[in-house]
């Protein structure tokens, strides 16, 4: 019955028909079973960090930019340090928005250094009419469905196994299942959800490289470290002394502005 509760939680995306087709028994699905098992083994440890009942409550990762469409080779190779401890703590340190920066989140507070980075991403002008009450402040970093349904997370994707890469690593290509992608695209046409794909390169069952893309644009990062822990040391969340501080609604607006900036950069590079 848990399977149906999970699918019901995605009903608003029109995902039920595709999900039922995906989990129905067939020879074709059986042939792909190992690829789905591997996807599950890769995604679940990460997803469980964002679940209130997960054994590990935090993760730390080092990501290295290998390539990005339109970005000169001399600007690649930078490392991004990421730390996350849901529901209220996160830190990114490295090349951020094409600049070196540190962003720390604790609760409803963002601390950003250098301070001038806060001016790069301006808040969107409010519309005159708002039918729905807009969310204020930052939301908790948690998954939107019960933790016992995490095991069913892979059914939201189609998985295709590709040839091994130049380093002999297993490569899985994943896309959102078509019905879910179409439903999301209807709600958020600017996101072009149906066009996106991801490729996961796995070494000894561990994520070693991640490539994300859509027609005309892609970005690839090397995963040099991916560690899980019950809790990260308090000093993890330290920010430079000169960091600017944004609270609540201002913090949310800044993050929304960052998202629009990165989407705009990607669109310009595609043209």
């Amino acid at each position: 019955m848990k399977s149906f509760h999970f699918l019901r939680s995605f009903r608003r995306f029109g995902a039920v028909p595709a999900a039922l087709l995906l989990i129905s028994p067939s020879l074709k699905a059986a042939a792909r079973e190992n690829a789905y098992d591997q996807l599950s083994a890769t995604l679940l440890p990460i997803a469980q960090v964002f679940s209130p009942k997960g054994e590990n409550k935090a993760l730390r990762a080092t990501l290295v930019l290998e390539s990005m469409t339109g970005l000169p080779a001399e600007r690649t190779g930078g490392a991004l340090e990421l730390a996350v401890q849901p529901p209220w703590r996160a830190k990114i340190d490295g090349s951020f928005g094409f600049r070196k920066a540190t962003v720390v989140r604790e609760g409803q507070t963002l601390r950003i250094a250098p301070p001038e980075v806060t001016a790069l991403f301006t808040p969107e002008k409010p519309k005159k009419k708002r039918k729905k009450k807009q969310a204020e402040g930052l939301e908790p970093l948690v998954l939107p469905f019960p933790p016992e349904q995490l095991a069913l997370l892979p059914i939201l994707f189609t998985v295709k196994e590709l040839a091994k890469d130049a380093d002999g690593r297993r490569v899985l290509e994943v896309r959102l299942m078509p019905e879910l992608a179409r439903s999301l695209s209807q709600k958020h046409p600017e996101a072009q959800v149906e066009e996106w794909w991801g490729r996961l390169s796995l070494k000894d069952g561990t994520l070693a490289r991640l490539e994300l893309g859509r027609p005309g644009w892609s970005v690839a990062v090397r995963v040099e470290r991916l560690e899980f822990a019950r809790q990260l040391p308090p000093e993890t969340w330290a920010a430079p002394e000169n960091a600017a501080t944004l609270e609540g609604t201002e913090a949310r607006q800044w993050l929304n502005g960052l998202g629009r900036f990165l989407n705009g950069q990607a669109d310009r590079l595609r043209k």
Side-chain angles (χ1 to χ4, degrees):
M1 294 299 295
K2 291 182 179 179
S3 302
F4 294 101
H5 290 309
F6 181 77
L7 293 173
R8 199 177 299 124
S9 69
F10 287 91
R11 188 184 300 276
R12 64 185 182 277
F13 298 129
V16 174
L20 293 176
L21 287 174
L22 186 61
I23 61 177
S24 63
S26 68
L27 293 176
K28 190 173 182 179
R32 294 198 306 256
E33 183 178 357
N34 289 337
Y36 275 96
D37 287 346
Q38 182 61 75
L39 178 64
S40 177
T42 303
L43 293 183
L44 288 186
I46 300 172
Q48 286 170 350
V49 171
F50 299 89
S51 167
K53 293 186 179 181
E55 180 179 354
N56 292 313
K57 305 295 185 182
L59 69 83
R60 193 195 300 265
T62 302
L63 309 176
V64 177
L65 180 63
E66 288 191 340
S67 65
M68 187 170 71
T69 303
L71 190 67
E74 60 269 19
R75 295 185 63 180
T76 63
L80 186 74
E81 300 292 336
L82 172 66
V84 182
Q85 187 170 300
W88 298 113
R89 283 179 159 175
K91 182 177 183 179
I92 299 176
D93 190 3
S95 296
F96 192 65
F98 299 98
R99 294 191 58 169
K100 175 102 176 143
T102 300
V103 178
V104 181
R105 173 188 174 174
E106 288 199 85
Q108 291 294 317
T109 301
L110 286 183
R111 287 173 291 160
I112 305 165
E116 55 266 26
V117 173
T118 60
L120 291 179
F121 316 117
T122 56
E124 186 177 17
K125 293 181 180 180
K127 298 178 180 179
K128 292 182 179 180
K129 295 182 180 180
R130 292 185 182 273
K131 294 183 179 180
K132 296 181 180 180
K133 183 179 179 181
Q134 299 298 304
E136 297 181 358
L138 301 174
E139 297 180 353
L141 301 168
V142 295
L143 290 171
F145 46 81
E148 60 270 16
Q149 295 175 355
L150 279 179
L152 300 174
L153 183 62
I155 71 171
L156 300 180
F157 300 93
T158 60
V159 186
K160 178 181 179 182
E161 184 149 11
L162 305 181
K164 291 185 177 181
D165 65 14
D167 295 317
R169 296 175 299 204
R170 187 177 188 182
V171 180
L172 302 180
E173 182 175 276
V174 299
R175 298 173 185 264
L176 280 175
M177 58 183 184
E179 289 295 329
L180 176 56
R182 279 194 291 271
S183 296
L184 288 174
S185 293
Q186 291 172 0
K187 292 187 176 184
H188 306 283
E190 73 284 354
Q192 300 176 308
V193 178
E194 292 180 272
E195 297 185 350
W196 284 92
W197 49 262
R199 292 187 185 127
L200 290 68
S201 296
L202 309 171
K203 182 179 181 180
D204 299 325
T206 302
L207 183 63
R209 185 176 185 269
L210 175 63
E211 186 176 2
L212 296 175
R214 59 186 183 184
W217 185 87
S218 67
V219 60
V221 296
R222 184 171 69 254
V223 183
E224 290 199 341
R225 176 177 62 165
L226 182 59
E227 300 173 348
F228 303 95
R230 290 182 177 274
Q231 186 174 336
L232 295 175
E235 58 267 24
T236 303
W237 318 110
E241 292 183 0
N242 67 335
T245 300
L246 298 179
E247 299 277 356
T249 301
E250 279 190 325
R252 186 185 183 96
Q253 290 175 340
W254 185 85
L255 287 177
N256 289 341
L258 169 62
R260 291 193 302 273
F261 170 81
L262 295 177
N263 284 335
Q265 289 288 330
D267 289 338
R268 282 191 289 274
L269 291 171
R270 292 176 66 200
K271 294 178 180 179

